[in-house]
Amino acid sequence: EAQVTQNPRYLITVTGKKLTVTCSQNMNHEYMSWYRQDPGLGLRQIYYSMNVEVTDKGDVPEGYKVSRKEKRNFPLILESPSPNQTSLYFCASSLRGWRGSDNYGYTFGSGTRLTVV
Amino acid sequence: QKEVEQNSGPLSVPEGAIASLNCTYSDRGSQSFFWYRQYSGKSPELIMSIYSNGDKEDGRFTAQLNKASQYVSLLIRDSQPSDSATYLCAASNTNAGKSTFGDGTTLTVKP
């Protein structure tokens, strides 16, 4: 089944303890992205990647790191989590579209609910 | 001003009616536009993408784009209770890579 798989689904951690949320897609998509979703703030993009070893900041990158060493994987790293990073996180992937054509949107994973205490 | 703004909602329509969802964007460099549906407790799923000015139809859904007015809309014909969800509008200046989302409009379709 074509899908984006995130792990874990739920995570409670303490302030300052480094954590990694994994994301993997089996659709051979070029683009991958991380979003966080908070009540009243909507979906905000953290980082995105348009190819292996190519990553770029989204709108809220502070406090997060990513890497894209393989096409299928795009982990999200919180080096020193803080309570304001408590949120619902989504990983997403997309085929590369072409300028001048209708483009492919994102396929989202099931989400990771992170609580930092 | 947010880059992508949607009707604050919530929007309620009777079953069988047309639901109209609206979105405006501020970045004139935006090239691609997307509508996603998100059921409560679930992840967003793509419904429609549109690039060119005009209408694009897919089943009961029609997306409309007016780049001069920086306006995108989604019409849902013959609305069903299963259409009850939050609808998210997104804009991108390339393709899906950097996509900015609106806050969403919650639609309720009443039987």
Side-chain angles (χ1 to χ4, degrees):
Chain A
E1 181 188 353
Q3 59 186 356
V4 178
T5 303
Q6 296 178 230
N7 280 297
R9 290 291 308 276
Y10 301 91
L11 179 59
I12 301 175
T13 191
V14 296
T15 299
K17 184 176 181 182
K18 180 180 179 180
L19 66 92
T20 299
V21 183
T22 63
C23 175
S24 179
Q25 51 94 4
N26 63 0
M27 297 169 281
N28 203 35
H29 285 174
E30 289 86 359
Y31 294 165
M32 297 188 75
S33 182
W34 277 102
Y35 284 87
R36 60 178 290 174
Q37 188 171 37
D38 302 287
L41 296 175
L43 269 168
R44 294 179 292 167
Q45 195 168 34
I46 303 171
Y47 272 95
Y48 63 101
S49 168
M50 298 176 89
N51 213 330
V52 175
E53 302 291 4
V54 179
T55 62
D56 213 341
K57 296 178 180 178
D59 297 315
V60 289
E62 295 79 18
Y64 304 95
K65 283 177 58 176
V66 293
S67 67
R68 186 97 182 270
K69 292 183 169 39
E70 305 165 280
K71 195 173 185 179
R72 63 183 291 126
N73 295 324
F74 192 45
L76 179 69
I77 302 159
L78 285 72
E79 295 268 3
S80 183
S82 63
N84 65 11
Q85 292 178 298
T86 292
S87 186
L88 178 59
Y89 291 87
F90 288 107
C91 180
S93 71
S94 172
L95 277 169
R96 177 181 178 180
W98 295 98
R99 204 173 182 90
S101 69
D102 280 343
N103 289 305
Y104 304 101
Y106 275 120
T107 299
F108 282 80
S110 299
T112 295
R113 188 165 292 281
L114 172 66
T115 302
V116 184
V117 298
Chain B
Q1 180 193 8
K2 290 195 65 142
E3 284 190 38
V4 178
E5 298 209 36
Q6 299 184 238
N7 311 61
S8 57
L11 177 64
S12 180
V13 301
E15 184 174 356
I18 296 175
S20 176
L21 302 156
N22 303 314
C23 173
T24 58
Y25 60 94
S26 60
D27 182 0
R28 283 200 173 273
S30 296
Q31 296 283 332
S32 303
F33 304 89
F34 307 91
W35 283 99
Y36 294 82
R37 176 176 61 201
Q38 186 175 24
Y39 292 114
S40 181
K42 301 294 186 181
S43 55
E45 57 178 323
L46 181 70
I47 301 173
M48 301 274 295
S49 67
I50 187 166
Y51 170 82
S52 303
N53 274 327
D55 295 358
K56 179 182 178 183
E57 188 173 317
D58 184 1
R60 295 186 296 111
F61 298 96
T62 299
Q64 299 173 315
L65 174 60
N66 183 325
K67 289 186 178 180
S69 301
Q70 296 176 249
Y71 176 86
V72 192
S73 68
L74 179 70
L75 299 177
I76 306 174
R77 289 183 300 282
D78 188 24
S79 295
Q80 301 297 309
S82 59
D83 294 326
S84 299
T86 296
Y87 289 81
L88 303 166
C89 173
S92 175
N93 61 0
T94 51
N95 21 59
K98 187 177 192 311
S99 286
T100 300
F101 282 76
D103 289 346
T105 300
T106 298
L107 170 67
T108 301
V109 180
K110 297 190 173 180

